[in-house]
Amino acid sequence: MKTDNQTFSNIDEPMYILEERKLRRNLQLIAGVAHDADIEIILAFKAYALWKTFPIFREYIGSTTASSLYEARLGYEEFGAPVHTFSPAITDGEIDELARLSSHISFNSLSQYERLHLRAHKANGNLMIGLRVNPEYSEVGTALYNPCAPGTRFGISADKLPENLPEDITGFHCHCHCESGADVFGRTLQHIEKKFSRWFPQLRWINFGGGHLMTRKDYDTKLLITLMNDFHKRYPWLHVILEPGSAFGWQTGPLVSHVVDIVEDHGIRTAILDVSFTCHMPDCLEMPYMPEVRGAKTIDADAVAASCQSGHLYRLGGCSCLSGDFMGLWSFDHELKIGESIIFEDMLHYTTVKTNMFNGIHHPSIALLHENGNLEILRKFTYEDYRGRMD
């Protein structure tokens, strides 16, 4: 069906809507950076895993990265290529299949490597083995997302590595960014080289992880390209890999919701929606951050009094029974009415992979808005998805 991508007025159910035009814009930029920087950029499933859109991705990139057996299967079976795999908790029951599905496996610790690397090689003779390293430096401000915080469970610090790496170690994997800019990467790269460059002659590849938000408007892609070209001059034998997730899905589509009731207590009006922050937008509460709502202004506490006089102020409440399933406040230019749409911007990356069915809440459908204006429903969810199968 056709739809207006500004109001989505004919959408009467909760729905994540991926806009193909915006997705291709991101993919074209990423492919251009990969070409100009002479690096490989692959898709991290932990931020985006809508497999029905993989045919579009295959026009621009050649591989994906997985952090679990199921993600590895998704990349191998649905994307159609072996994956780059990292997990801090690979089990004996998973290693053979993980190795078969992977082109690269980065082990999280020396003990994990020692226990599993021979089985991995036996399962896949062409497998590239790497180690995740910890540069002990990160500018990620939110502790929940900082992989280099003291006591981290991720990676090996330089003081724990032997001077001569085992012969089958061909690469390093290092992840220490979260929606970061190229300037942050530049400063981080100095620490990585200082800590680990003495092992670079023993390697064939290096993976600088995710968090490189190169599709954000203020991201300096020219700086990233310069940093990588300079790195190639210093280490021309190293194949460089980046594995962002958010950058692919950044600003590619909204979550469309609707007002189902309006309640008031102690002067606070709450518009109850047919979606849930805790179920359908969990990062808003975990990060936390205030999502952008189309046609509304985000209001901070200091501006509440002025907004009450100049606009229509509402807290937005989710449909679950969790008391804290709300956020606010937003100022609208009109009184909200039951049935009208509330459109949350930029809800494809991370959100769609972290949603849940807590409370048995009806899950939003997932749709692809094609460039010709046709809306294709990729998935509708039913009671059976909540109930699951035990037979």
Side-chain angles (χ1 to χ4, degrees), residues 168-227:
D168 61 344
I169 299 297
T170 58
F172 279 168
H173 175 216
C174 180
H175 174 65
C176 40
H177 297 92
C178 177
E179 298 185 357
S180 303
D183 57 329
V184 177
F185 180 45
R187 293 189 290 272
T188 306
L189 190 58
Q190 295 176 25
H191 288 263
I192 294 172
E193 290 189 60
K194 181 179 179 180
K195 292 278 189 177
F196 298 104
S197 61
R198 68 177 182 268
W199 286 284
F200 287 0
Q202 302 178 49
L203 305 178
R204 294 164 54 186
W205 56 272
I206 187 164
N207 183 333
F208 289 120
H212 309 272
L213 194 47
M214 60 193 72
T215 51
R216 188 174 57 199
K217 286 183 180 180
D218 63 350
Y219 189 96
D220 190 345
T221 55
K222 291 183 179 179
L223 176 57
L224 174 62
I225 293 167
T226 298
L227 288 169

Side-chain angles (χ1 to χ4, degrees), residues 106-114 129-136 154-166 169-174 191-203 206:
S106 295
F107 288 113
N108 185 52
S109 65
L110 290 172
S111 58
Q112 189 186 55
Y113 161 79
E114 290 165 358
I129 297 288
L131 295 175
R132 176 157 176 171
V133 295
N134 173 17
E136 302 176 88
F154 293 131
I156 307 162
S157 55
D159 62 304
K160 295 181 175 67
L161 287 174
E163 280 301 315
N164 295 309
L165 298 172
I169 299 297
T170 58
F172 279 168
H173 175 216
C174 180
H191 288 263
I192 294 172
E193 290 189 60
K194 181 179 179 180
K195 292 278 189 177
F196 298 104
S197 61
R198 68 177 182 268
W199 286 284
F200 287 0
Q202 302 178 49
L203 305 178
I206 187 164

Side-chain angles (χ1 to χ4, degrees), residues 16 255 275-282 351 355-356 361-364:
Y16 298 104
L255 170 59
V275 298
S276 161
F277 288 99
T278 191
C279 294
H280 310 137
M281 297 172 276
T351 297
T355 54
N356 61 79
I361 300 299
H362 188 281
H363 199 69

Side-chain angles (χ1 to χ4, degrees), residues 144-327:
L144 184 66
Y145 302 111
N146 185 352
C148 298
T152 180
R153 70 189 199 282
F154 293 131
I156 307 162
S157 55
D159 62 304
K160 295 181 175 67
L161 287 174
E163 280 301 315
N164 295 309
L165 298 172
E167 289 186 2
D168 61 344
I169 299 297
T170 58
F172 279 168
H173 175 216
C174 180
H175 174 65
C176 40
H177 297 92
C178 177
E179 298 185 357
S180 303
D183 57 329
V184 177
F185 180 45
R187 293 189 290 272
T188 306
L189 190 58
Q190 295 176 25
H191 288 263
I192 294 172
E193 290 189 60
K194 181 179 179 180
K195 292 278 189 177
F196 298 104
S197 61
R198 68 177 182 268
W199 286 284
F200 287 0
Q202 302 178 49
L203 305 178
R204 294 164 54 186
W205 56 272
I206 187 164
N207 183 333
F208 289 120
H212 309 272
L213 194 47
M214 60 193 72
T215 51
R216 188 174 57 199
K217 286 183 180 180
D218 63 350
Y219 189 96
D220 190 345
T221 55
K222 291 183 179 179
L223 176 57
L224 174 62
I225 293 167
T226 298
L227 288 169
M228 290 291 84
N229 286 332
D230 289 345
F231 186 85
H232 290 314
K233 292 175 183 177
R234 295 192 295 276
Y235 315 103
W237 63 91
L238 285 179
H239 175 64
V240 176
I241 304 159
L242 301 185
E243 50 177 39
S246 293
F248 286 94
W250 187 258
Q251 296 289 349
T252 55
L255 170 59
V256 178
S257 69
H258 308 87
V259 179
V260 297
D261 197 10
I262 297 174
V263 299
E264 185 273 335
D265 184 67
H266 283 67
I268 298 175
R269 286 185 297 176
T270 300
I272 307 292
L273 309 177
D274 56 2
V275 298
S276 161
F277 288 99
T278 191
C279 294
H280 310 137
M281 297 172 276
D283 266 358
C284 294
L285 299 180
E286 289 179 4
M287 188 77 168
Y289 78 97
M290 287 276 286
E292 182 181 347
V293 174
R294 190 170 300 182
K297 295 180 180 179
T298 305
I299 303 301
D300 59 35
D302 295 334
V304 168
S307 298
C308 288
Q309 297 174 3
S310 61
H312 302 278
L313 198 64
Y314 293 88
R315 189 166 67 180
L316 298 180
C319 54
S320 80
C321 71
L322 178 69
S323 298
D325 189 4
F326 67 85
M327 293 199 77

